[in-house]
Amino acid sequence: MAVSPRDGQQLTLSDIAALAGVSRSAASRALDRRSPSGGPGAERVREVARRMGYVPNSWAANLRLQRSGIIGVVVPRLTDTVMAMLYEAIVEECTSRSLHAEVITTGDDPRVALERGRSLLAQRIDGMILTTARTDGADPLLTELQDLGIAYSLALRTDGKSSAAVVDDRAGGRVATAHLLERGHNRIAFVGGPSYASSSQQRELGFRDAMAEAGDDVAPELIFESNFSMEAGGQVAQRLLSLAKPPTAVFTANDSLAVGLVAVAQRSGIKVPDDLSVVGYNDTPIAAHMAVPLTSVKVSFPDMAKNAVDLLLSPPKKFELRMTSPSLVTRKSVATISK
């Protein structure tokens, strides 16, 4: 007997199974986004579901499996464009798998991370993705997750012990610095993030690699540590401008630092790129819309998000870094100078 929607009611999984001529369990397997079954019957189920506008009840499925369908995401702050973009990419990736992403911010403070992380754990989440990893060992939330046996993965940064989805930041730092060297610069400053952030560490290593390959010295007074913010970029600019011999170019470990640095430099009468060339990192939307469009190292946040969710849902047996490859987007912020 033909099955049709009942007045005022939505189709059920049993209805879809009957329309496709398969059992209810076979229909369920065909519509499971995490590991859909194959074969003619499964394709028929999916076709019927598409035609009838049927949406699986993921909450009911999670209840049967004793899963909440919630993934916790831990970021330092959402006012940071990079973190906001990565979180949005994680949300999209989770949604494609019938999961919900719930975010907390920590201000990059390990104590706040532990307190707010516990509030996520109280929601019986299925696991966590953390972008706050540190290489100094000061991460009590990560220790607690390990002690409790809670699934987790890292993104953007690594602690060197836990599996993580990251960018090949050393390669990114190398390509950014090589671009400045190719344009004739050799007195180049590097503005990094916090010393405990692996992303900043690797970008600095790439910077040093390129300088060494070119046979140029790295001047100690041209290496700066910061907190990745626009305000920090402005403060570094003031220090650079006070040097007896300022650099002709700066590579910043993210675009926010570049924005703050360029703003202060321009207010001080320094022209970009005529007097100072600048390369940023992450190629956030603001890079293309600055008064002088910023050359920046492009990162694929969707790829990183997919890798982070994969590592969370299917943990490898041993430590694994899944890297995405960066690329340089050249714009107007770098001038060519003669040596």
Side-chain angles (χ1 to χ4, degrees):
M1 183 175 66
V3 177
S4 60
R6 296 170 292 279
D7 291 342
Q9 296 185 20
Q10 293 182 341
L11 283 171
T12 67
L13 180 61
S14 295
D15 294 332
I16 297 300
L19 285 166
V22 300
S23 68
R24 189 181 184 282
S25 59
S28 177
R29 290 193 297 273
L31 296 174
D32 186 343
R33 291 186 180 182
R34 292 163 301 206
S35 55
S37 60
E43 287 301 324
R44 196 162 59 250
V45 169
R46 289 190 279 270
E47 175 55 33
V48 168
R50 282 192 294 270
R51 189 172 70 248
M52 304 301 292
Y54 172 75
V55 178
N57 187 341
S58 60
W59 290 105
N62 288 334
L63 187 61
R64 288 194 302 274
L65 295 169
Q66 296 298 303
R67 295 167 64 175
S68 67
I70 301 173
I71 301 299
V73 182
V74 183
V75 302
R77 54 190 65 83
L78 285 175
T79 51
D80 183 323
T81 305
V82 170
M83 295 299 173
M85 292 176 70
L86 180 55
Y87 174 58
E88 288 183 357
I90 291 172
V91 168
E92 290 296 324
E93 184 63 30
C94 285
T95 299
S96 74
R97 306 182 193 217
S98 298
L99 298 170
H100 172 70
E102 187 77 28
V103 69
I104 60 168
T105 59
T106 69
D108 239 349
D109 184 328
R111 294 169 299 177
V112 174
L114 179 60
E115 178 185 345
R116 295 181 181 175
R118 284 172 171 169
S119 71
L120 273 180
L121 291 174
Q123 298 182 46
R124 302 182 65 85
I125 59 173
D126 293 337
M128 278 191 195
I129 297 174
L130 301 94
T131 69
T132 50
R134 305 167 66 102
T135 58
D136 60 6
D139 199 339
L141 174 57
L142 199 56
T143 300
E144 185 152 310
L145 294 178
Q146 293 165 347
D147 290 344
L148 293 173
I150 303 296
Y152 71 91
S153 66
L154 307 181
L156 199 64
R157 304 182 194 170
T158 174
D159 62 356
K161 304 172 185 176
S162 306
S163 293
V166 296
V167 182
D168 189 345
D169 285 312
R170 189 164 187 167
R174 189 182 299 114
V175 73
T177 309
H179 177 66
L180 291 169
L181 290 163
E182 289 164 2
R183 301 295 287 271
H185 301 273
N186 56 17
R187 186 164 172 78
I188 304 171
F190 172 75
V191 184
S195 61
Y196 55 75
S198 65
S199 52
S200 180
Q201 295 168 8
Q202 292 298 308
R203 291 165 201 177
E204 181 177 348
L205 285 174
F207 165 77
R208 292 181 179 275
D209 287 344
M211 295 293 285
E213 289 165 9
D216 289 318
D217 295 329
V218 176
E221 70 272 18
L222 297 183
I223 304 296
F224 298 89
E225 182 182 323
S226 77
N227 63 7
F228 282 133
S229 69
M230 293 184 190
E231 292 75 16
Q235 293 165 5
V236 170
Q238 293 173 334
R239 293 165 64 185
L240 285 175
L241 296 175
S242 68
L243 293 174
K245 186 180 178 183
T248 63
V250 182
F251 165 41
T252 63
N254 75 357
D255 290 346
S256 292
L257 288 168
V259 170
L261 187 148
V262 168
V264 169
Q266 290 179 328
R267 285 200 296 270
S268 303
I270 303 298
K271 295 181 180 179
V272 175
D274 297 349
D275 302 322
L276 183 67
S277 292
V278 183
V279 175
Y281 204 101
N282 290 312
D283 194 36
T284 54
I286 196 172
H289 297 286
M290 294 173 63
V292 179
L294 180 69
T295 292
S296 185
V297 177
K298 185 176 183 62
V299 169
S300 174
F301 293 105
D303 286 350
M304 199 187 316
K306 181 181 185 305
N307 286 340
V309 176
D310 283 344
L311 287 170
L312 175 65
L313 298 181
S314 301
K317 292 182 179 179
K318 58 182 181 179
F319 167 69
E320 180 181 341
L321 285 182
R322 293 193 185 176
M323 290 190 180
T324 59
S325 298
S327 59
L328 188 70
V329 179
T330 57
R331 296 192 177 95
K332 303 290 186 181
S333 63
V334 177
T336 299
I337 63 174
S338 55
K339 294 186 178 181

